[in-house]
């Protein structure tokens, strides 16, 4: 089931080490931003909500800044589950 795999992937992105030894973001984590943006625009509201929940736990400016417009779009989503997680 692709939704179960997506859920496991989001958990992995939450716990994986995101910083290099010098304190900067790893290059592969910056590439993850595109996948996260796609999930924020996904037609399934639960994938959007889970992705928003992941973003609320990430405290890295380099990951969050490019995703802000997509997060703001989700504040106006028709499903309350998505809006609740976007806040």
């Amino acid at each position: 089931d692709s939704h179960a795999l997506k859920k496991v992937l989001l958990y992995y992105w939450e716990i994986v080490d995101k910083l290099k030894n010098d304190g900067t973001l790893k290059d592969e984590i910056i590439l993850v931003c595109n996948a996260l943006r796609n999930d924020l625009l996904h037609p399934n509201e639960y994938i959007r909500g889970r992705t928003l929940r992941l973003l609320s736990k990430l405290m890295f400016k380099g990951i969050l800044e490019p995703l802000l417009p997509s997060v703001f779009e989700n504040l106006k989503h028709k499903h309350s589950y998505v809006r609740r997680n976007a806040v």
Side-chain angles (χ1 to χ4, degrees):
D1 182 53
S2 64
H3 292 295
L5 181 61
K6 178 63 74 176
K7 189 175 182 179
V8 171
L9 181 61
L10 290 173
Y11 282 131
Y12 172 75
W13 284 340
E14 183 179 337
I15 62 172
V16 71
D17 188 25
K18 297 162 195 65
L19 299 176
K20 297 178 189 175
N21 289 335
D22 64 358
T24 60
L25 280 175
K26 292 182 177 180
D27 296 331
E28 55 269 21
I29 297 300
I30 295 172
L31 293 174
V32 166
C33 285
N34 188 39
L36 293 173
R37 183 179 300 114
N38 290 340
D39 288 345
L40 287 172
L41 302 174
H42 198 277
N44 184 307
E45 66 271 10
Y46 295 107
I47 290 179
R48 285 183 182 219
R50 298 283 308 156
T51 304
L52 288 163
R53 194 176 305 167
L54 167 70
L55 292 179
S56 71
K57 296 176 183 180
L58 299 179
M59 300 298 172
F60 299 102
K61 186 178 177 181
I63 296 173
L64 297 175
E65 269 188 349
L67 300 174
L68 283 178
S70 299
V71 171
F72 289 136
E73 283 179 35
N74 282 301
L75 285 170
K76 301 173 192 169
H77 197 272
K78 63 182 177 179
H79 291 282
S80 63
Y81 179 78
V82 175
R83 291 192 308 268
R84 184 174 56 235
N85 285 297
V87 172

